[in-house]
Amino acid sequence: MKGAGDSSSLTTDGNILIGRAWIFGDNINTDIIIPFRFKSRTNDPYEMAKYAMYGFDPDFHKKISKGDIVVAGRNFGGGSSREQAPVALKYAGISAVIAESFARIFYRNAFAIGLPALEIPEIKGKVNQGDELKIDINKFSAEISRTKQIFQAKNVPEFMRQMLLEGGLVEYYKRYKRFPWAH
Amino acid sequence: MSASSLQQQYHQQKQDIPHLKSILVDNSLTFAEKAISIKNVEARNKKSKVISATGDIVVVDVDLAMAQDSTGPLAIRSLDEMGIDKLHDPSKVLLIIDHTFPAADEKVANLHALIRDFVSRHNCLLVEGSISHQYILEYLATPGMMILGADSHTCQAGCVSAFACGIGSTEIAAVWATGQLWLRVPETIKINLSGILNKGVFARDLILDYIGKVGEDGANYKSLEWKFSKENVRKQFSMDSRACISNASMECGAKISVFPVDEITRNYLNQNPRIGNGNLEKIEIQSGDSARYIDEFEIECNNIEPQVSGPDNVDKVHSVDELGNLEIDQAFIGSSTNGRIEDLEIAARILKSRKVHNNTRCVVTPASVRVYEEAIKRGYVEIYLESGAVFTNATCGACVGTHLGALGENEICVSSSSRNFVGRMGALSSKVYLASPATVAASAIEGKIADPRRYM
Ligand code: SF4
């Protein structure tokens, strides 16, 4: 997988992400992920990354390691349409987000900017802080290394997965000179 | 193109939609199914009838694609990175500078300049100093229109029966480039309204009550269709109050939130002439009698009391009594949710000949230039100033803590704005409670959360 943020922890086949889990609860909204007054004053993704999860912990971006994975409860990314939310996470080094469910716009935005978003209701209570997770973008599944449990994420249309594999809509367009849904 | 040259009226544009009539009369389809079916690109290309059913992924023609000053710069960046230098149809592209207007600092000013430069390069539409959703309602939205906006509350235009929903920046850039986007046809929840709202209870209380019952994700990915049991129930919902409900439906995750077209819609559109591509032929879409709903919900308006939601989550809803006596530092009346003329009117009625409490700041912000002018004309601004409130220009401002009413450490605000999330209006330790403009005005006077019925 490619990405403008180049934040993915890559293995040789390019579609496996390995990272450590950060656990969050329900209703982590986009105001928590990046407050308006910061995101509205820059157009630079690396600057946005400094405020990733600011509403949870202003130093979050310093505490995570490249490739870490957010594991959250219900309705992750609710609220504003701000694409800066997945962008901030991606450029801060988060390689993917797993949640019991996603808010609609965040989910679309995550695919559009090439941040894998896996909806897995069954993940609830199964992952501990710091657990190693292995995400397979081809199979759209996640494995907890500690317990060897594998969870299948909610299916997405093939064009959305293709968009992810390219690193998002911009990368997809640069390569194919068309949008993945175009007739 | 500036807003002033936009003011010129266009002729009504006929829409070439295959099998339009037969789709509109189909009794088995929801609003969302009909609205998406008529904008289905495949059907237009083949000149054939294609019914888009719930759950289908459909590529649609988009009539209006909006971004504002905090989502536009990222959209422009994405377009530049893709190397796209031509827009599909500039007359369908709208940029609005509303969130931090006028610029509060140098960083914001630079991003505003980026937007103005983009607009002048592409000759698309630019509006400055009205909140996008209110401007779209006042000038552009029309029944059956397909409106996508890089702002979550774009769903507000469902109040005139448009298919309107929020998306992100890079996808809006794709719409600017091609005029199209994919959508999934959403499941629909039907909400049956009956009864009459009591004195001191408003549309905002109704929608907060609903969100409190279904939760912040209670309508995630869903279409909401509002229905009325009787004539007198329907008539109590003015366009301003419908706009409030459609707007705030975002707070339970709704994709669209739609009111049926009736004479209130038609009168509103006649009194507020459409401009530019708002002159698309109106397509009145009514859901069919045998349409399939995933859920139905009954709301008896007469049972609703003034609601206060917060802090930190919109679905944390209380009756005003439960929170009465909570002292506040600021009272904010404004935002796209509740900054319309009816909201300013009720606030003025309550604040007239009274004073804002000594320990409280009261900020009133109209949702648009038109609302601003009307408030001056009707003498509300004098009332606010005499009461000790501040009246600002139209902007998102305090709603997102960007300027004109941001909160400091541990401050408490009661607000008619959209959200009460952690740090939404300023410091992470500040707290926001949401309520109707009437409750906010009553609270401003008492310096604590107060029941507006005392002032009715
Ligand atoms: S007023 Fe608030 S809710 Fe409305 S568009 Fe502005 S920021 Fe969004």
Side-chain angles (χ1 to χ4, degrees):
Chain A
M1 259 180 68
K2 294 184 293 187
D6 192 26
S7 56
S8 315
S9 170
L10 302 177
T11 62
T12 40
D13 84 346
N15 296 323
I16 305 286
L17 306 168
I18 297 172
R20 302 214 166 261
W22 284 85
I23 308 293
F24 291 86
D26 295 340
N27 293 321
I28 300 296
N29 56 59
T30 54
D31 277 289
I32 294 174
I33 301 171
I34 181 169
F36 181 88
R37 59 193 182 283
F38 304 126
K39 73 106 178 179
S40 63
R41 282 163 168 80
T42 181
N43 210 22
D44 174 0
Y46 289 100
E47 184 64 22
M48 293 168 200
K50 293 182 192 160
Y51 302 100
M53 289 293 184
Y54 185 92
F56 163 74
D57 176 356
D59 288 328
F60 182 75
H61 69 286
K62 293 182 195 151
K63 295 181 179 167
I64 52 177
S65 308
K66 202 171 157 179
D68 282 358
I69 292 166
V70 166
V71 180
R74 279 171 57 150
N75 200 31
F76 186 85
S80 161
S81 72
R82 63 190 69 166
E83 191 167 295
Q84 290 90 344
V87 168
L89 293 174
K90 177 173 170 172
Y91 282 76
I94 294 295
S95 66
V97 182
I98 299 172
E100 289 168 40
S101 67
F102 288 92
R104 189 184 73 81
I105 306 179
F106 183 94
Y107 195 58
R108 285 189 80 118
N109 282 344
F111 286 84
I113 65 117
L115 176 70
L118 288 87
E119 186 167 314
I120 306 177
E122 304 77 24
I123 204 90
K124 188 184 169 95
K126 300 284 186 345
V127 185
N128 297 334
Q129 174 71 29
D131 270 356
E132 186 188 271
L133 297 170
K134 203 188 281 180
I135 291 177
D136 185 328
I137 298 296
N138 276 333
K139 295 190 183 135
F140 226 54
S141 64
E143 179 179 348
I144 306 171
S145 302
R146 177 174 53 84
T147 61
K148 302 267 175 292
Q149 276 172 293
I150 298 177
F151 297 88
Q152 185 60 46
K154 190 181 93 177
N155 222 355
V156 292
E158 180 54 20
F159 74 82
M160 283 176 80
R161 222 175 47 82
Q162 288 300 330
M163 204 153 83
L164 265 189
L165 288 169
E166 288 301 325
L169 200 49
V170 168
E171 300 301 315
Y172 186 101
Y173 187 87
K174 284 206 294 212
R175 171 141 173 201
Y176 298 103
K177 294 286 172 244
R178 65 174 191 86
F179 292 107
W181 56 82
H183 282 283
Chain B
M1 203 186 297
S2 73
S4 52
S5 61
L6 229 183
Q7 306 299 332
Q8 137 195 27
Q9 258 191 251
Y10 289 54
H11 289 301
Q12 181 156 93
Q13 303 159 32
K14 266 271 178 212
Q15 301 198 55
D16 181 22
I17 296 168
H19 304 279
L20 174 62
K21 277 223 177 84
S22 82
I23 293 169
L24 291 181
V25 299
D26 192 326
N27 240 338
S28 67
L29 303 178
T30 61
F31 173 92
E33 289 170 328
K34 290 187 183 182
I36 291 182
S37 294
I38 64 178
K39 298 291 173 183
N40 187 323
V41 170
E42 191 192 341
R44 177 173 53 74
N45 283 343
K46 292 188 187 152
K47 296 216 169 303
S48 65
K49 181 171 170 181
V50 180
I51 295 297
S52 309
T54 297
D56 288 355
I57 303 254
V58 183
V59 180
V60 295
D61 286 317
V62 178
D63 299 314
L64 181 66
M66 180 276 293
Q68 32 85 346
D69 52 334
S70 82
T71 55
L74 209 49
I76 293 167
R77 185 194 169 93
S78 291
L79 215 53
D80 287 346
E81 282 179 1
M82 290 187 277
I84 296 171
D85 53 13
K86 207 173 158 309
L87 305 186
H88 169 258
D89 181 352
S91 76
K92 294 179 176 167
V93 175
L94 173 64
L95 275 298
I96 297 209
I97 297 179
D98 60 357
H99 273 59
T100 315
F101 180 84
D105 57 43
E106 181 184 337
K107 288 180 177 174
V108 173
N110 288 334
L111 292 174
H112 287 180
L114 178 82
I115 290 175
R116 292 190 196 100
D117 171 64
F118 178 83
V119 166
S120 68
R121 271 192 287 139
H122 294 285
N123 201 29
C124 47
L125 315 173
L126 175 68
V127 171
E128 305 202 29
S130 284
I131 300 177
S132 64
H133 314 304
Q134 186 58 20
Y135 187 88
I136 288 172
L137 173 59
E138 289 168 346
Y139 294 98
L140 290 162
T142 207
M145 197 177 199
M146 178 61 68
I147 303 174
L148 298 181
D151 190 288
S152 60
H153 292 99
T154 302
C155 54
Q156 179 181 299
C159 65
V160 293
S161 221
F163 187 105
C165 78
I167 58 169
S169 296
T170 298
E171 289 196 311
I172 208 79
V175 180
W176 291 348
T178 62
Q180 301 174 357
L181 191 67
W182 69 274
L183 290 175
R184 181 180 168 279
V185 186
E187 290 83 10
T188 299
I189 301 172
K190 179 174 166 184
I191 304 178
N192 301 308
L193 300 171
S194 63
I196 300 294
L197 292 167
N198 290 314
K199 224 182 192 157
V201 179
F202 300 88
R204 186 60 187 276
D205 299 301
L206 186 158
I207 186 69
L208 284 177
D209 181 72
Y210 175 72
I211 294 165
K213 288 188 172 122
V214 302
E216 276 188 5
D217 59 352
N220 197 13
Y221 296 97
K222 306 289 190 299
S223 160
L224 297 183
E225 284 191 26
W226 299 88
K227 305 278 183 188
F228 311 105
S229 67
K230 282 200 225 134
E231 277 292 277
N232 62 341
V233 176
R234 178 176 66 72
K235 284 190 173 147
Q236 71 185 322
F237 290 97
S238 64
M239 190 48 71
D240 280 11
S241 65
R242 294 174 190 193
C244 167
I245 290 172
S246 289
N247 175 298
S249 298
M250 181 59 217
E251 270 28 271
C252 52
K255 180 172 190 166
I256 61 170
S257 176
V258 186
F259 282 85
V261 175
D262 62 2
E263 93 280 355
I264 291 175
T265 323
R266 295 186 197 103
N267 288 344
Y268 180 87
L269 295 171
N270 286 337
Q271 284 157 14
N272 299 273
R274 308 291 89 183
I275 59 171
N277 66 338
N279 280 292
L280 276 178
E281 177 189 10
K282 298 177 186 60
I283 299 175
E284 296 188 4
I285 300 170
Q286 309 281 359
S287 51
D289 290 340
S290 54
R292 292 245 298 274
Y293 297 99
I294 186 170
D295 206 354
E296 284 199 38
F297 202 89
E298 307 290 329
I299 297 180
E300 290 175 51
C301 296
N302 45 301
N303 286 340
I304 298 169
E305 285 187 64
Q307 304 286 305
V308 182
S309 138
D312 302 344
N313 294 96
V314 180
D315 58 6
K316 239 191 242 171
V317 173
H318 320 263
S319 75
V320 71
D321 296 342
E322 285 172 71
L323 285 177
N325 297 327
L326 182 80
E327 287 184 17
I328 56 169
D329 300 287
Q330 181 170 297
F332 175 62
I333 296 160
S335 88
S336 60
T337 314
N338 271 124
R340 279 171 277 278
I341 197 65
E342 276 185 15
D343 305 318
L344 267 47
E345 179 187 4
I346 187 70
R349 257 168 51 203
I350 291 173
L351 289 169
K352 191 176 163 92
S353 310
R354 297 193 175 98
K355 290 279 178 214
V356 171
H357 193 275
N358 265 341
N359 299 335
T360 303
R361 313 178 291 274
C362 179
V363 179
V364 185
T365 298
S368 69
V369 171
R370 187 180 281 184
V371 174
Y372 189 132
E373 286 169 346
E374 191 64 22
I376 294 175
K377 231 186 277 168
R378 297 194 192 179
Y380 300 160
V381 178
E382 276 172 63
I383 295 173
Y384 303 142
L385 299 184
E386 274 167 24
S387 75
V390 175
F391 188 71
T392 80
N393 66 287
T395 175
C396 297
C399 176
V400 269
T402 179
H403 68 161
L404 300 175
L407 302 178
E409 294 290 352
N410 298 311
E411 285 197 316
I412 294 179
C413 179
V414 62
S415 174
S416 79
S417 60
S418 62
R419 295 185 175 125
N420 51 16
F421 298 161
V422 173
R424 171 78 178 182
M425 293 179 75
L428 293 181
S429 59
S430 63
K431 296 283 177 218
V432 180
Y433 293 85
L434 305 174
S436 78
T439 301
V440 176
S443 305
I445 294 164
E446 299 194 16
K448 54 190 173 59
I449 290 181
D451 194 323
R453 289 170 293 195
R454 286 201 279 275
Y455 299 89
M456 292 287 132

